[in-house]
Amino acid sequence: MIPRAILSRFTIFKRPNVLLRRNVPSRRHLVAAPKAGDGPLLERRADRELPDINTNSWLRTVPIFLLIVGASTIAIFNYQKSSSSVVSSTLYALRTSPRAREILGDEIYFKHKMPWIWGHINQMHGKIDIKFSVKGGTGEGVMRFRSQRKTRMGYFETLEWSLETPNGQIVSLLDSQGLDPFQDSELNKGASQRSIDSAPS
C-alpha cells in the first residue's frame, strides 16, 4: 500500500490542474447573423455573429453628403451678400433712378424670389464688384455695380453702375455730370466716421 503522506502530496500537485481544468470555458458555436428577410429577432444572444458591413453604401452617401454641405455653404454666403448694405443701397438707388425707371418701370425689385448675387463684396479691402437680376413693371435686366476705395481712410468711388437689358444693351446709370450717387450712402458712412475720429480735437 502507498503511504498516506505520499498520497496527500500527490493530490496537492494535481489539484491546480483540476482547478485550471474547471476554469477553462466551454467552446460554443456562434449563431449565424440574421439575413435580409429572416424577420424580427425574438431573443438576444451573446453568441450571435455580427452582420457584415456594406461598404458600398458609404461610397454612395459620402459624395451626396459633401454635395449638400457645399451647396449649403454657398447658399449661406449668397444670403449674406443679398442682405448686405451694399445690395440694399444699390437696389434703392435703382428704384429712384429716372433712367432705370424708364427701362424697368415701377416696382423695381429682385427678379427672383431667392436672388443670386454674383461677384464679391470686400469692404475691408475696398473692392466691390457685384451684379444681380432685377425686374420692374415693364422690363427686366441685370444691374452691375463696381466701386473701389483707393486709400484706407478714403471714400468709395463708383467705377461702374449700369443696367444690361435682355437684348444686350448696357445703359450707364451714372450722372452725366460725374456726380457719384453713392457718395452719401451706407458705403461711405464708415469712412466719414473714421475721418471724424482721426480729426484733431
Side-chain angles (χ1 to χ4, degrees), residues 124-178:
M124 182 175 295
H125 292 85
K127 294 181 179 180
I128 299 173
D129 188 356
I130 57 173
K131 63 178 181 179
F132 53 87
S133 300
V134 294
K135 68 175 181 178
T138 59
E140 61 183 37
V142 177
M143 193 212 71
R144 184 174 184 182
F145 176 75
R146 289 194 306 118
S147 183
Q148 184 178 2
R149 189 184 64 215
K150 296 181 180 180
T151 61
R152 181 175 177 273
M153 304 297 294
Y155 289 87
F156 275 93
E157 298 179 7
T158 303
L159 304 179
E160 180 182 353
W161 184 40
S162 62
L163 183 65
E164 183 178 356
T165 59
N167 58 6
Q169 181 183 4
I170 299 177
V171 179
S172 178
L173 301 177
L174 291 174
D175 195 326
S176 58
Q177 298 179 358

Side-chain angles (χ1 to χ4, degrees), residues 82 84-113 115 132-137 143 161-163 173 181-182:
S82 63
S84 66
S85 59
V86 176
V87 175
S88 301
S89 299
T90 54
L91 189 60
Y92 176 77
L94 193 67
R95 291 171 181 167
T96 57
S97 171
R99 188 74 179 101
R101 293 171 69 91
E102 290 179 6
I103 300 172
L104 303 177
D106 299 330
E107 300 180 359
I108 299 174
Y109 201 65
F110 295 115
K111 181 180 179 181
H112 306 288
K113 292 183 179 180
F132 53 87
S133 300
V134 294
K135 68 175 181 178
M143 193 212 71
W161 184 40
S162 62
L163 183 65
L173 301 177
F182 300 96

Side-chain angles (χ1 to χ4, degrees), residues 36-76:
D38 288 347
L41 299 177
L42 302 179
E43 60 178 348
R44 295 182 180 179
R45 303 188 57 168
D47 56 353
R48 191 184 302 278
E49 289 184 348
L50 296 175
D52 296 332
I53 300 176
N54 187 9
T55 56
N56 293 330
S57 62
W58 284 93
L59 298 178
R60 293 192 301 267
T61 56
V62 169
I64 296 175
F65 172 76
L66 295 178
L67 182 62
I68 293 174
V69 171
S72 301
T73 304
I74 295 174
I76 290 172

Side-chain angles (χ1 to χ4, degrees), residues 13-46:
F13 287 118
K14 295 293 289 182
R15 192 175 297 168
N17 294 332
V18 174
L19 295 175
L20 290 174
R21 209 176 288 124
R22 289 177 181 176
N23 293 331
V24 174
S26 60
R27 294 183 178 180
R28 299 177 62 184
H29 297 285
L30 295 177
V31 180
K35 299 180 180 179
D38 288 347
L41 299 177
L42 302 179
E43 60 178 348
R44 295 182 180 179
R45 303 188 57 168

